[in-house]
Amino acid sequence: MHKFTGALFIVCLLLSLTGCSNLTSLFFHPQQEYLRTPNDIDLVYESVTTYATDGTEINSWFLPAFVSENNEVDSPIVLFLHGNAENISTHIGSVYWLPEQGVNVFLLDYRGFGHSLGDPYVPAIFQDVESSLIWLRERFPQRKIFILGQSIGSAIATTSMALFKDEYQVSGLILDASFTGYRDIAQEVTGNHLITWPIWPFTWLLPTEWDPKAHIADISPSPILMFHSETDPVLPYALGLELYNSAQEPKHWQPSKGGHIQTFNFEEYRQTLLDFLTR
């Protein structure tokens, strides 16, 4: 979201002042209040409570696909991982259209976001993703599950896919507005502004163990679809393309348009996603 750049400035400022642990927590700006629910946009939904391995209560939404003769048995599922700010009540705008197209959607609110408890940081957030996959696999043992991540959710999605694709039989990965790593994006921001240049050396304190670029090659042979707007004002197109180049086949790069995470405002990219989910 638009808060990503501001969050990175705060990250780097705090790095220079504190050198604290769990530095990735500074990338997240959760909001607890729901601004709307799926009912407000005439969507049926189920409120889902899961529990991470460490016992943290995670609260999410499940949007069932509209039932038809063609999708009643085998409609695919998208596990949606949103950006670094707000919660699923605002990010639903990226995926609300999928149920009408025969696709189920599970919107995960990470720990600390929305009605989920705890504090968000990497790597604890991967436990939240796994709790969602456990729920989905128990509920739908035979359905195809795909992970879709946007913005910082793309980083979480990439590493989660590498960690869990075999155990939970995840069929594919979709990324929108991705980047190579937490340190990389922090250095990108601090290196481009005179006021943050003195902070740039402290970005080296950010961990790289869970960076998407360290894990994306492990996703093969599962397919990857990546979108990135060529005019994204928040996450540089070049960082997304660099991550794509680190991935193994099968993979597909789709340049998109619009602002940050606005890809699915356009019918042509919606269709690209649907083709990937249903082929």
Side-chain angles (χ1 to χ4, degrees), residues 119-171:
D119 298 308
Y121 65 94
V122 174
I125 276 178
F126 301 125
Q127 296 181 41
D128 309 343
V129 177
E130 184 176 24
S131 74
S132 303
L133 289 169
I134 290 171
W135 187 89
L136 287 169
R137 267 293 159 245
E138 289 177 349
R139 181 78 166 266
F140 304 103
Q142 303 301 323
R143 299 286 181 92
K144 287 186 176 181
I145 298 174
F146 297 83
I147 301 179
L148 165 59
Q150 288 189 313
S151 192
I152 205 168
S154 70
I156 298 166
T158 301
T159 305
S160 296
M161 182 71 180
L163 292 173
F164 305 129
K165 68 183 179 70
D166 294 329
E167 185 172 1
Y168 302 104
Q169 299 85 52
V170 185
S171 295

Side-chain angles (χ1 to χ4, degrees), residues 7-17 26 185-187 189-190 196 199-200 202-203 206:
L8 288 173
F9 176 79
I10 294 170
V11 166
C12 297
L13 180 60
L14 290 175
L15 281 172
S16 68
L17 296 175
L26 301 172
I185 193 62
Q187 291 182 341
V189 170
T190 56
T196 58
I199 301 171
W200 186 92
F202 294 96
T203 62
L206 283 164

Side-chain angles (χ1 to χ4, degrees), residues 5 7 9 14 35 42-43 80 82 125 140 146 153 166 174 191-193 200 218 230 240-242 250 257 265 274 276:
T5 303
F9 176 79
L14 290 175
L35 300 186
D42 298 321
L43 284 175
F80 176 61
H82 61 70
I125 276 178
F140 304 103
F146 297 83
D166 294 329
I174 306 104
N192 288 334
H193 298 276
W200 186 92
D218 297 331
E230 295 178 283
L241 188 57
E242 182 181 343
K257 56 191 176 185
N265 291 348
L274 291 173
F276 181 80

Side-chain angles (χ1 to χ4, degrees), residues 206-266:
L206 283 164
T208 60
E209 179 182 0
W210 304 106
D211 282 356
K213 67 181 178 183
H215 295 274
I216 196 165
D218 297 331
I219 292 170
S220 180
S222 299
I224 303 172
L225 171 62
M226 295 178 64
F227 298 91
H228 207 120
S229 172
E230 295 178 283
T231 56
D232 190 324
V234 177
L235 292 175
Y237 183 85
L239 284 185
L241 188 57
E242 182 181 343
L243 181 65
Y244 173 79
N245 289 333
S246 298
Q248 302 297 311
E249 297 287 352
K251 60 182 181 177
H252 178 71
W253 177 257
Q254 177 61 66
S256 59
K257 56 191 176 185
H260 186 55
I261 63 171
Q262 292 182 356
T263 293
F264 301 120
N265 291 348
F266 301 93

Side-chain angles (χ1 to χ4, degrees), residues 28-31 82-86 109-116 120:
F28 296 98
H29 286 254
Q31 176 177 313
H82 61 70
N84 77 318
E86 301 171 351
D109 249 343
Y110 320 117
R111 57 186 62 207
F113 285 78
H115 294 178
S116 295

